[in-house]
Amino acid sequence: MVKLRHALVVRGGWEGHEPVAATDLFLPYLAEQGFSLTVEDSPAPYADPDLMAGVDLVVQCFTMGTITREQSTGLSQAVAAGTGFAGWHGGVVDSFRAEPDYLHLTGGQFACHPEAGGETFVPHRIEITGHDHPITKGIADFDLVTEQYWVLTDPYNTVLATTTHAAQGPWSRPVTVPAVWVREWGEGRVFVATPGHDLATLEHDSVRTLIERGLAWASR
């Protein structure tokens, strides 16, 4: 008998990102890909080394919130040992802001919505840069009208797509930031997509394809 891979889905935090509905959107895909599923509403499982040793993929949608040092260390160690870690938007890059080890693992942090006037849903383009990567291969640049994240990232990331914020306010030129990236973490892999504020964005064909491919790529 073929052993199923195990996906741990951790969801919760700020309800504005619809963590239950957003993750429910991808559960059928994971089941079709041969994963058994465990769904939790806190990062507590990250601190259980026996449980995490059997997890092939962590899908996280947990905006803001808090994480203990033991939980953050457990997650990082599991990924280093081969567990995949994947997520989108605030559920992964606006999580656990006060924990440096978590920020180190993800390679990026939401900083702000810089748009003048306080309007966070803005027209913008996602530009594919990693044309030969299995996550982005065959996907063309595409346009969205949703939140455009300004993120702070580190150079260890392999950037697969970017987005450019128009010059505005106190800054005199456009600023391009990563929108989709991956990173190798020991024996494991990390996938991050910044689009994904709501179900309408997640159901966009290109966004959904990127995330589904990202989940598959990150998994052990």
Side-chain angles (χ1 to χ4, degrees):
M1 178 180 295
V2 176
K3 181 180 181 294
L4 293 177
R5 289 181 294 172
H6 184 197
L8 170 64
V9 179
V10 175
R11 60 193 189 185
W14 184 60
E15 289 295 332
H17 285 152
E18 303 176 89
V20 173
T23 50
D24 279 352
L25 191 64
F26 295 97
L27 296 185
Y29 169 79
L30 291 170
E32 290 167 4
Q33 296 301 306
F35 286 93
S36 64
L37 301 171
T38 299
V39 179
E40 299 286 352
D41 61 3
S42 88
Y46 296 162
D48 183 340
D50 293 333
L51 183 151
M52 294 301 291
V55 172
D56 300 293
L57 173 66
V58 173
V59 181
Q60 182 182 285
C61 185
F62 204 103
T63 304
M64 302 182 212
T66 59
I67 191 171
T68 68
R69 178 59 58 87
E70 183 182 22
Q71 292 162 359
S72 178
T73 299
L75 173 62
S76 182
Q77 290 178 344
V79 177
T83 299
F85 183 64
W88 54 87
H89 202 63
V92 69
V93 292
D94 193 15
S95 311
F96 318 133
R97 298 177 184 179
E99 181 46 60
D101 286 349
Y102 175 80
L103 306 185
H104 188 202
L105 172 66
T106 58
Q109 172 65 40
F110 164 74
C112 67
H113 303 293
E115 291 70 34
E119 178 56 60
T120 60
F121 273 46
V122 295
H124 61 280
R125 171 156 286 207
I126 303 297
E127 297 184 308
I128 304 299
T129 58
H131 296 285
D132 294 327
H133 196 279
I135 293 175
T136 44
K137 190 170 185 177
I139 297 178
D141 298 349
F142 58 94
D143 296 311
L144 297 172
V145 181
T146 185
E147 288 190 340
Q148 184 184 25
Y149 267 16
W150 179 303
V151 288
L152 307 178
T153 59
D154 72 48
Y156 185 63
N157 294 332
T158 298
V159 177
L160 302 182
T162 63
T163 188
T164 299
H165 296 262
Q168 57 192 293
W171 26 293
S172 60
R173 61 177 177 81
V175 175
T176 298
V177 298
V180 180
W181 68 83
V182 295
R183 59 204 271 125
E184 307 281 345
W185 194 260
E187 298 299 317
R189 293 172 166 182
V190 176
F191 163 80
V192 174
T194 64
H197 173 76
D198 53 17
L199 290 180
T201 306
L202 290 169
E203 289 171 340
H204 184 284
D205 285 346
S206 294
V207 174
R208 186 165 186 165
T209 298
L210 284 169
I211 291 174
E212 288 179 346
R213 289 182 181 179
L215 300 179
W217 177 87
S219 177
R220 193 196 313 269

